[in-house]
Amino acid sequence: MNLLLLDPAQIQNQRASITDARRLAHIREHLKLNPGDLIKVGQKNGLKGTARIESITEQQLVLDSVLLDQAPPAKLPLTLIVALPRPKVLRRLIMDAVTLGVEQLILIHSYRVEKSYWQTPFLQQLDSYIELGLEQAGDTIWPQVQCFKRFRPFVEDILPGLIENKLAFVAHPYAAQPMPVALNQPCILAIGPEGGFIPFEINLLQHNGCQPASLGQRILRTETAVSSIIGRMFG
Amino acid sequence: MNLLLLDPAQIQNQRASITDARRLAHIREHLKLNPGDLIKVGQKNGLKGTARIESITEQQLVLDSVLLDQAPPAKLPLTLIVALPRPKVLRRLIMDAVTLGVEQLILIHSYRVEKSYWQTPFLQQLDSYIELGLEQAGDTIWPQVQCFKRFRPFVEDILPGLIENKLAFVAHPYAAQPMPVALNQPCILAIGPEGGFIPFEINLLQHNGCQPASLGQRILRTETAVSSIIGRMFG
């Protein structure tokens, strides 16, 4: 945790307090902070800065001298579209995408996504995964996250509006063109499930504005592909 | 698993068999392959290709028509030096580095690495993590993996010989120069532990040939940093 996120309503007269067990344990046992120490804080969807620890117990952390004077890091102008991964991968994927600065994240269905994945209780916890990603990055701004449980209506009715005049790519092992390097401009990136999008899906994505682009001969796990492509596109 | 790795001694007269439970379960339950189906295979540290499933039971897979006629994907000319991560992160880190094609991987001690991490039984299983990474990537060539439990002797006595005439970088949040983009040449990359290398370590790395290079304002987890930097350097 590289930033303690505070609700705007929690901060009054440069003072704030938190009581949740996860963050208290992390600050006490991992960061090993004591009264008088400074801690990096951020206001949710606002500025970041520092605060001083006035007191800390197993039940409560009280902060004073809350000073919010720095802008959070800029987001990447990237809309990341990912086929819903296995539940145990979902948490890391969301965290990583948020940490890397993805502005908009869209989870979609695809032929090779097991329907049962949409029933996972993890999908009810997206907000907590986003918070973990922001805490890691030192960011305060919530990205937009949406889910679309039907592939074709998403690609035909929603995707063209997202793309507008931007470049859009779908990672595809057999594409002729390579994924662009140091693109550094607003774009859309679609990444398939384990086993990849099926040919029908690649064709539909292509007809609706996504250029297939290859990552070379190596087949990457979804999470590895996300981090690697973002590193490559936004260098 | 995108490739079934076979020992050279297992392949005779274009036939081979495996009996280990992990891969049998994966091929039966996940890939759902049956007798007559083709499967992608590779000879450890050799060529890759296909084989036909002659029979498959819970105890044994028998292959015939083993045909090895393709070169594995090229490795990246990268020596990755990483401070030993928490045991639960180690497996994913090794897998990801191997999947991405790292040629040489070196785990080192650092001030912020807990000494207990060196006692983890996971360090005895590096070979199985490498195998998982190769299976994922569709690669057959074992990278070189080494461990150095003392930071200073490694940096002063070993590192200069590794660097020779190559470029070498250490990821450091406060560096003035950014990590290079699309470097695409042999290089050395050092990545610190959670919390980063301490100033003494950064200085020692710098004096021994590693240029500090920044990844921008966002603080990434080790695994995310590895995938993202590799994507950025070898686009």
Side-chain angles (χ1 to χ4, degrees), chain B residues 41-43 46-51 65-72:
Chain B
V41 297
Q43 180 177 308
L47 295 174
K48 50 191 271 193
T50 55
S65 309
V66 175
L67 176 67
L68 300 169
D69 59 352
Q70 301 159 38

Side-chain angles (χ1 to χ4, degrees), chain A residues 52-138:
Chain A
R52 201 185 69 96
I53 294 179
E54 184 183 278
S55 64
I56 182 164
T57 66
E58 277 182 45
Q59 283 76 42
Q60 190 181 36
L61 166 72
V62 179
L63 301 170
D64 60 23
S65 310
V66 176
L67 175 68
L68 300 169
D69 58 352
Q70 300 158 36
K75 294 281 191 206
L76 302 176
L78 174 63
T79 296
L80 179 65
I81 300 166
V82 188
L84 184 67
R86 280 177 295 136
K88 63 180 277 197
V89 173
L90 182 64
R91 179 172 172 275
R92 275 203 308 279
L93 181 80
I94 302 276
M95 264 190 73
D96 283 353
V98 171
T99 302
L100 287 161
V102 168
E103 195 165 41
Q104 183 177 28
L105 179 62
I106 296 175
L107 298 168
I108 62 169
H109 190 63
S110 148
Y111 183 79
R112 293 207 176 103
V113 170
E114 287 187 27
K115 290 232 169 80
S116 64
Y117 293 178
W118 289 104
Q119 309 307 322
T120 174
F122 290 10
L123 273 175
Q124 309 311 315
Q125 296 167 33
L126 294 183
D127 204 56
S128 68
Y129 305 157
I130 293 172
E131 185 161 348
L132 291 173
L134 293 173
E135 285 178 356
Q136 169 66 45

Side-chain angles (χ1 to χ4, degrees), chain A residues 126-199:
Chain A
L126 294 183
D127 204 56
S128 68
Y129 305 157
I130 293 172
E131 185 161 348
L132 291 173
L134 293 173
E135 285 178 356
Q136 169 66 45
D139 191 1
T140 63
I141 310 292
W142 252 249
Q144 194 188 346
V145 179
Q146 292 170 281
C147 295
F148 291 92
K149 294 189 189 179
R150 293 175 64 212
F151 180 82
R152 189 165 184 164
F154 168 75
V155 175
E156 292 185 332
D157 303 337
I158 308 288
L159 181 60
L162 294 173
I163 296 180
E164 283 189 316
N165 302 317
K166 297 176 201 159
L167 288 171
F169 302 93
V170 50
H172 184 49
Y174 308 111
Q177 77 165 332
M179 194 64 79
V181 177
L183 187 69
N184 293 323
Q185 59 175 277
C187 79
I188 313 277
L189 171 65
I191 295 184
E194 262 185 278
F197 287 119
I198 60 171

